[in-house]
Amino acid sequence: MPQAHYFLHHHPLDPPSRRVRLALAEKDLLCELILEKPWEPRDEYLKLNPSGEVPTLIIEPAEARSKTIALSNAGAICEYLEETISARSLLGDDPLERAEIRRLISWFEDKMYREVTSHLVEEKALKRLQGEGGPDSARIHTAYHNIHAHMSYIGWLTEHRNWLAGDDITLADLAAAAQLSIIDYLGDVPWDKHHEAKEWYARIKSRPSFRSLLGDHIAGLLPPRHYADLDF
Amino acid sequence: MPQAHYFLHHHPLDPPSRRVRLALAEKDLLCELILEKPWEPRDEYLKLNPSGEVPTLIIEPAEARSKTIALSNAGAICEYLEETISARSLLGDDPLERAEIRRLISWFEDKMYREVTSHLVEEKALKRLQGEGGPDSARIHTAYHNIHAHMSYIGWLTEHRNWLAGDDITLADLAAAAQLSIIDYLGDVPWDKHHEAKEWYARIKSRPSFRSLLGDHIAGLLPPRHYADLDF
């Protein structure tokens, strides 16, 4: 049977882009990655997504007569995949369960990003990639302080549940892992202080869906040696 | 038939809280409002929602044997209401249409909030309510500059569609109206420069679901006279 083709406009330091890559891979959908710099969006990309943000998923259907689809925003993309691809549900099927998964996605993608990831990515990576001068150490220290509460929350959730939102792996796990995988690329996850969170991350890191993320290499910004190591 | 009881923990200057109020009212669900100050969350509220953020919706089911439910995060709450309450769909039924609605919700609730609403709410209202000194005029001017692109985008959308995401009113309209209604409370919407956006807002403002918002009065912070006026 002919398959649709997937192209993902993304950036490796953008957590929602990573969440979509993981969701596609969990559903066994191969996608071709197209690198975008959201801080200087190309005109051609702005036609696809006027916000200039990543990710945007392009779906070229197998039937030549069907229209190519462009979907922007990780939340919209992941919900669309849940609604149209039956392989491996990542959102549960009970409304209450789904509400808990969506609450946790926002916890990690909005709250943890604002309190931790954004500071580290902007100060330690984007400023360098954009040639914008030295990092603001106050923001880095804020992130180092804030990360513990989020690691503890992951630990607390996994003490009460098999995965973050319940028995099965869901988009909530992918959203949390997307944040941590970027912070880990920057070498800033205090693994030795958070054993439960580390045990959970080791489980998700060893899944086939994670391989593409572990192969990421950003020019001018090498990850620490343990980044791609399943025994970290 | 006995009805469930709804209680919404909210803040009138929080756009996602307003979006949930509008969604409940569009579905003809009455709710009792409970005021929270997310910048100094009560211990009791943190037990309901450990993030301390608003809104949180409490649903007390009609049957005494059923459990009371607490749902946090506007996105999770609105999706739950779509999945469980059949009255007036606010999310369409075609996956592509739903993806467009969700993209626009994020446009207004994340991007417009970050670029416009948050600056105005924090500098002109929250600092005063929290006794934190004078406003930072640079942030206010940033918001005054950025708001035009969002008003133009609303205008552009309504030139091509009846409502923001298509033929019918959806959560995308409620998300945009939630931002604008707060900025309007602060007297900062440049209505005279954006006729299409004004025409769209006049339509949504005259809906019965909007009445509760137009009755909002925040102690120490009066809205301009036109705020509750349907002919503004």
Side-chain angles (χ1 to χ4, degrees):
Chain A
M1 207 179 82
Q3 295 258 312
H5 281 93
Y6 295 85
F7 301 87
L8 187 71
H9 295 261
H10 83 125
H11 192 277
L13 292 172
D14 174 63
S17 295
R18 287 192 172 219
R19 170 154 76 101
V20 173
R21 288 165 70 189
L22 291 170
L24 286 165
E26 286 289 336
K27 291 179 179 295
D28 287 326
L29 300 173
L30 292 173
C31 83
E32 198 171 302
L33 296 174
I34 300 160
L35 183 69
E36 300 293 341
K37 294 177 183 169
W39 59 88
E40 47 178 26
R42 301 176 295 129
D43 287 347
E44 209 184 331
Y45 184 62
L46 286 170
K47 282 179 202 157
L48 284 176
N49 181 8
S51 84
E53 293 165 3
V54 283
T56 293
L57 180 67
I58 309 297
I59 308 178
E60 281 185 6
E63 309 82 34
R65 278 175 308 178
S66 301
K67 266 190 167 176
T68 293
I69 292 166
L71 301 173
S72 291
N73 180 264
I77 293 168
C78 288
E79 297 273 353
Y80 179 88
L81 293 174
E82 290 305 310
E83 291 175 2
T84 57
I85 310 278
S86 55
R88 187 175 284 143
S89 163
L90 296 168
L91 198 55
D93 35 42
D94 172 71
L96 261 186
E97 203 182 321
R98 293 159 71 88
E100 175 66 356
I101 294 165
R102 292 182 177 118
R103 178 186 77 82
L104 289 172
I105 293 170
S106 170
W107 182 291
F108 295 108
E109 212 147 84
D110 300 327
K111 185 178 169 68
M112 184 176 182
Y113 182 72
R114 190 175 61 236
E115 293 175 354
V116 183
T117 321
S118 65
H119 299 309
L120 298 173
V121 166
E122 286 167 25
E123 297 303 325
K124 297 187 68 175
L126 295 189
K127 272 192 178 171
R128 198 197 300 190
L129 297 176
Q130 297 168 30
E132 271 192 11
D136 173 349
S137 62
R139 283 188 76 194
I140 294 175
H141 284 290
T142 298
Y144 287 172
H145 175 265
N146 290 344
I147 194 170
H148 293 290
H150 292 280
M151 302 287 287
S152 298
Y153 192 44
I154 289 171
W156 184 86
L157 290 168
T158 57
E159 273 179 67
H160 293 75
R161 302 163 175 179
N162 187 29
W163 291 95
L164 296 188
D167 291 341
D168 300 310
I169 189 167
T170 67
L171 291 170
D173 296 277
L174 306 191
Q179 302 291 324
L180 278 182
S181 70
I182 288 177
I183 303 170
D184 200 33
Y185 190 99
L186 300 173
D188 286 337
V189 181
W191 292 118
D192 53 332
K193 292 204 174 67
H194 297 277
H195 296 289
E196 291 86 359
K198 184 179 178 180
E199 189 275 333
W200 163 83
Y201 190 71
R203 272 192 289 151
I204 201 166
K205 191 177 182 180
S206 65
R207 293 173 79 86
S209 64
F210 230 79
R211 273 182 215 147
S212 150
L213 271 57
L214 300 182
D216 276 351
H217 277 274
I218 299 154
L221 199 73
L222 283 180
R225 197 182 280 185
H226 75 262
Y227 171 71
D229 198 341
L230 294 185
D231 186 21
F232 55 105
Chain B
M1 207 180 80
Q3 295 258 312
H5 281 93
Y6 295 86
F7 301 87
L8 187 71
H9 296 262
H10 83 124
H11 191 277
L13 293 172
D14 174 62
S17 294
R18 287 192 172 219
R19 171 154 77 100
V20 173
R21 288 165 70 190
L22 291 171
L24 287 165
E26 285 289 336
K27 291 178 179 296
D28 287 327
L29 300 173
L30 292 173
C31 82
E32 197 171 303
L33 295 174
I34 300 160
L35 183 70
E36 300 292 341
K37 294 176 183 170
W39 59 89
E40 48 178 23
R42 302 177 295 129
D43 286 347
E44 209 183 330
Y45 184 63
L46 287 170
K47 281 179 202 158
L48 284 176
N49 180 9
S51 83
E53 293 164 4
V54 281
T56 293
L57 180 67
I58 309 295
I59 307 178
E60 281 185 6
E63 309 81 33
R65 278 175 307 176
S66 301
K67 267 190 166 176
T68 293
I69 292 166
L71 302 174
S72 292
N73 179 262
I77 294 168
C78 288
E79 296 272 353
Y80 179 88
L81 294 174
E82 289 305 311
E83 291 175 2
T84 57
I85 310 278
S86 55
R88 185 174 285 142
S89 163
L90 296 168
L91 197 54
D93 35 41
D94 171 71
L96 262 186
E97 202 182 320
R98 292 159 71 88
E100 174 65 355
I101 294 165
R102 291 182 178 117
R103 178 185 77 82
L104 288 172
I105 292 169
S106 170
W107 182 291
F108 295 107
E109 211 146 87
D110 300 327
K111 186 177 169 67
M112 184 176 181
Y113 182 72
R114 191 175 61 237
E115 293 174 353
V116 183
T117 322
S118 65
H119 299 309
L120 298 173
V121 166
E122 287 168 23
E123 297 303 326
K124 296 186 69 174
L126 295 189
K127 272 192 177 172
R128 198 197 299 192
L129 297 176
Q130 297 168 31
E132 271 191 12
D136 173 349
S137 62
R139 282 188 77 193
I140 293 174
H141 283 289
T142 298
Y144 287 172
H145 174 264
N146 290 343
I147 194 171
H148 292 290
H150 292 280
M151 301 289 286
S152 298
Y153 193 44
I154 290 172
W156 184 86
L157 290 168
T158 56
E159 272 179 69
H160 293 76
R161 302 162 174 177
N162 187 28
W163 292 94
L164 296 188
D167 291 341
D168 300 310
I169 190 168
T170 68
L171 291 171
D173 297 277
L174 306 190
Q179 302 291 324
L180 278 182
S181 70
I182 289 177
I183 302 170
D184 200 35
Y185 190 99
L186 301 173
D188 286 336
V189 182
W191 292 120
D192 53 332
K193 291 203 174 66
H194 297 277
H195 296 291
E196 292 86 358
K198 184 178 178 181
E199 188 276 333
W200 162 84
Y201 190 72
R203 273 193 287 151
I204 201 165
K205 190 176 182 181
S206 66
R207 293 174 78 87
S209 63
F210 231 79
R211 272 182 215 146
S212 151
L213 270 56
L214 300 182
D216 276 352
H217 277 273
I218 299 155
L221 199 73
L222 282 182
R225 197 182 280 186
H226 76 262
Y227 172 71
D229 198 341
L230 294 186
D231 186 20
F232 56 104

